[in-house]
């Protein structure tokens, strides 16, 4: 049995990006319906091109206005069922320094978990995230330090063992971080093996039996 490849109308796809030569935000592709959405929701203007008409934002718009209009138009196109590629640099909903902010939130969350921990097992789980051999925070940070030490040594043309004192100490710091991860893992193992505390036994009741019970 043979299967026929489906037909894809590439021109129906809309690509919105910034032209590096002119700094204009342009939208290429799409149907007449897409053109209507670009003009109504994003304020794009139709312009003739060597391969057919395209759309662009007006000249002289501030960068934030460009991002806002491009994002608004792309979401309107998606809501209408069009396929759209929006340049990430034009996405007004993208959070600046998103990875950095996420890392800070992650560390703050670990601190909150430590403060709220009620068992040694919960402490062990947090220490595992910090010092796990492959994906732990400390080994990953050590890897960055090691690479920075090697790159700085190469850029300064320093032979192994002949690095300037600050770079040599950076290498020692990486070794110390490795030892610190080992210490944390030992503490993690100890916490994981700690017996769970038994629930306290309630004291015996001192209440006097009722008259019916005495009878």
């Amino acid at each position: 049995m043979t299967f026929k490849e489906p037909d894809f109308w590439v021109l129906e796809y809309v690509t919105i990006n910034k032209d590096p030569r002119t700094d204009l935000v342009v939208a290429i592709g799409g149907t007449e319906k897409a053109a209507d959405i670009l003009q109504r929701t994003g304020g794009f203007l139709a312009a003739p091109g060597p391969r057919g008409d395209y759309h662009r934002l007006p000249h002289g718009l501030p960068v934030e206005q460009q991002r806002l209009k491009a994002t608004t138009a792309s979401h309107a196109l998606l809501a209408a069922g069009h396929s759209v590629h929006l340049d990430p640099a034009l996405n007004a909903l993208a959070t600046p320094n998103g990875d950095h902010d996420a890392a800070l939130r992650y560390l703050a969350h670990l601190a909150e978990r430590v403060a709220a921990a009620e068992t040694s097992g919960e402490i062990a789980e947090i220490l595992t995230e910090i010092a796990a051999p492959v994906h732990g925070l400390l080994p990953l940070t050590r890897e960055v330090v090691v690479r920075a030490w090697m790159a700085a040594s190469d850029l300064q043309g320093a032979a192994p063992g002949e690095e300037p004192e600050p770079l040599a100490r950076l290498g020692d710091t990486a070794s110390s971080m490795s030892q610190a991860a080992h210490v944390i893992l030992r503490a993690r193992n100890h916490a994981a093996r700690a017996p769970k505390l038994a629930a306290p036994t309630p004291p015996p009741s001192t209440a006097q039996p009722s008259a019916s019970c005495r009878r």
Side-chain angles (χ1 to χ4, degrees):
M1 181 178 181
T2 58
F3 294 91
K4 181 181 178 182
E5 290 293 334
D7 294 327
F8 291 102
W9 295 96
V10 178
L11 291 179
E12 292 184 2
Y13 288 77
V14 181
T15 300
I16 303 176
N17 57 22
K18 177 175 284 192
D19 177 52
R21 184 173 54 86
T22 62
D23 279 340
L24 284 175
V25 175
V26 298
I28 300 174
T31 61
E32 291 184 0
K33 183 178 178 181
D36 177 72
I37 294 174
L38 286 167
Q39 294 172 19
R40 285 189 298 104
T41 64
F44 280 77
L45 306 174
R51 298 183 180 179
D53 290 348
Y54 67 96
H55 285 78
R56 63 168 177 79
L57 288 179
H59 291 276
L61 285 179
V63 173
E64 287 306 312
Q65 281 292 318
Q66 292 179 342
R67 298 177 73 230
L68 180 61
K69 289 180 176 295
T71 301
T72 301
S74 68
H75 280 266
L77 288 167
L78 288 171
H82 296 274
S83 297
V84 184
H85 168 74
L86 175 65
D87 186 342
L90 293 173
N91 189 350
L93 301 180
T95 304
N97 299 321
D99 292 341
H100 179 265
D101 293 342
L104 294 180
R105 288 195 301 269
Y106 176 61
L107 291 173
H109 178 61
L110 287 182
E112 291 172 358
R113 287 174 58 188
V114 169
E118 297 180 351
T119 66
S120 294
E122 292 174 337
I123 297 295
E125 291 177 359
I126 296 167
L127 293 179
T128 301
E129 295 195 39
I130 294 173
V134 178
H135 297 298
L137 292 174
L138 190 53
L140 290 174
T141 304
R142 174 189 174 276
E143 181 68 19
V144 176
V145 173
V146 168
R147 294 192 180 198
W149 167 49
M150 296 173 62
S153 298
D154 290 343
L155 289 173
Q156 295 190 18
E162 299 179 0
E163 302 96 339
E165 189 266 346
L167 292 183
R169 295 195 63 179
L170 186 61
D172 294 340
T173 300
S175 178
S176 298
M177 294 174 71
S178 180
Q179 296 174 11
H182 180 67
V183 170
I184 293 174
L185 281 180
R186 288 186 60 189
R188 175 260 178 204
N189 294 337
H190 179 77
R193 288 193 296 265
K196 295 182 179 179
L197 296 177
T201 303
S205 175
T206 58
Q208 296 295 323
S210 64
S212 59
C213 289
R214 290 197 298 270
R215 289 196 299 270

